[in-house]
Every structure is written in C-alpha cells, then in structure tokens.
Amino acid sequence: MQVVLRTDVESLGLRGDVVNVARGYARNYLLPRGLAELATPGLLRELERRDAQRARHEAQSVDEATAIKQRLEATELRFDVNAGPTGSLFGSVTATNVSDRLWDDLKIRIDRRGLGVGHIKRIGRYTIPVEVFGDVTAELRLLVVPEGGELPPEEELEAAEAAEAEAAEAEAQAHAQAEALVEAEIAAEEAAPEEPEAEAGPVDPEPAEAGETE
C-alpha cells in the first residue's frame, strides 16, 4: 500500500517520501496518528511539482556549492527542544527539521538526503556533513538545547548520557531476567509428570434403616 509520509518516521523515510507499507501498518498506525496519508494521484502530482520547485533553489555548479559551503560552515543552527532532566528529547531533530531551518533562516535549499543527521534524540552540540553539490561537502554545526535554557557543560552532558545508558542497560537486563524466569517456569510445568488420578475405592453399602431386617 502506497502512502506519503507527513513527517519523518525513523527507519521508514522523510516527510514527503512515498513509501510502500503493509496495509495493516498503514491503517492501524500511520494513518490514524497523522504520520502519513494515502498516495492519491493528485497528491503525487503535487509532490512532483514541489520537488521540481525546490530543486531550482539548490546549487547548480561547483562555484555555487563552494559559496554555499562557506555560508554553512560559518553557521550554527540552534534548536530549542522539549527535553527531559537527563537530556533526552521528547521527539527528535531530523533531516527535515534541519533542511527547513536552513531555508527559513538562510534561504539555502539542501536536499534532505544530503544531510548526515539521522534522528538526534539528545541535547548537545553536533557537527553533521552536508552534501552540497557533487564532491562539495560542508560541515554544519547544530546546537540542540532545552527550551528556556542553555546547554550544561560537556562533562555534565556526558555524565547524564552515561547514566541514562546505564539505567537503560539495567532495565533491559531486568526485563531479560524476568522473561527467563517465566520461560523456566513454563518449561518446568511442561516437564513435570502428570499425577495419576486417584482410583475410586469400593462404595460402602448404605446402612440399613432402623427396623429393617435382612
């Protein structure tokens, strides 16, 4: 089933991508959550028109790409994000976010697939490669900070990330141990011999009522 992604979906594609997915996955997950819409002929034509329009703003020569590279490497993009106390984001910063910001702030159009960003899920400082044109690649700096605040020192960022990774590892081990215990109990029950049913003993005759003779 063909759908058009309305937002970046990890391990599936970027916003605007046309992807083939299982019908159940689309109807039970992507469509109800607003992550995708059906790939109708009209929508596909509109996407082609938008892609052609965007391509006209991208670098068309090495000289243009070199000038864009210089602007990118003189830039640091800041993203204020909703993050938890350990620095994990409630969401992520994606290639589409970076591409949109480059256009909004600098009027530089970069193909999102040329951004080596993936999904950023923690606050911090990042440097990502940007394929501008042909062999021209720039290094773009990103600053991902919690809303209403600033980045803590690098040592605190590393300590928080290490603590979160340790907690996640401990949780995974506890989950694995619990699953192993359940599996062991099931295996023990299946291996246990069945107890034979108790045989019924002889039935005592009912006592004779008073006054009756044999």
Side-chain angles (χ1 to χ4, degrees):
M1 182 177 187
Q2 275 197 333
V3 297
V4 178
L5 297 181
R6 299 180 66 182
T7 186
D8 295 358
V9 179
E10 193 168 2
S11 70
L12 187 58
L14 302 175
R15 186 185 70 196
D17 283 353
V18 181
V19 295
N20 283 300
V21 296
R23 189 176 300 273
Y25 180 53
R27 292 187 171 174
N28 298 326
Y29 182 76
L30 295 176
L31 300 179
R33 292 171 180 257
L35 302 177
E37 54 189 316
L38 292 176
T40 63
L43 180 57
L44 294 176
R45 286 194 297 269
E46 176 63 16
L47 290 174
E48 289 178 2
R49 185 189 67 80
R50 290 180 191 174
D51 287 344
Q53 199 172 39
R54 289 192 183 103
R56 288 199 292 270
H57 293 281
E58 295 174 6
Q60 304 295 326
S61 68
V62 172
D63 289 342
E64 286 183 12
T66 302
I68 290 174
K69 174 182 177 178
Q70 292 173 352
R71 292 181 64 195
L72 291 176
E73 294 189 338
T75 298
E76 182 176 71
L77 293 184
R78 177 185 172 114
F79 293 87
D80 291 271
V81 297
N82 190 6
T86 62
S88 290
L89 274 57
F90 298 111
S92 60
V93 175
T94 69
T96 296
N97 299 138
V98 176
S99 176
D100 289 348
R101 180 65 64 79
L102 285 173
W103 177 252
D104 292 341
D105 292 358
L106 303 176
K107 289 298 180 281
I108 293 176
R109 182 71 72 189
I110 298 291
D111 187 340
R112 295 166 301 164
R113 291 165 186 77
L115 294 167
V117 61
H119 286 67
I120 294 175
K121 297 183 178 181
R122 295 190 58 82
I123 60 174
R125 297 174 179 83
Y126 298 87
T127 301
I128 65 169
V130 181
E131 296 178 9
V132 183
F133 179 83
D135 294 331
V136 180
T137 301
E139 297 291 325
L140 176 65
R141 288 171 292 125
L142 307 179
L143 194 61
V144 182
V145 302
E147 287 180 343
E150 296 295 333
L151 281 181
E154 198 66 33
E155 296 79 7
E156 290 185 23
L157 285 174
E158 292 175 358
E161 185 173 4
E164 187 173 18
E166 185 177 341
E169 177 65 21
E171 184 178 353
Q173 288 181 358
H175 183 69
Q177 289 173 354
E179 284 189 340
L181 286 174
V182 171
E183 290 176 359
E185 290 177 1
I186 293 173
E189 290 177 1
E190 292 177 348
E194 294 184 3
E195 294 183 2
E197 294 183 2
E199 294 183 3
V203 179
D204 292 334
E206 293 182 1
E209 294 185 3
E212 289 186 358
T213 57
E214 292 185 2

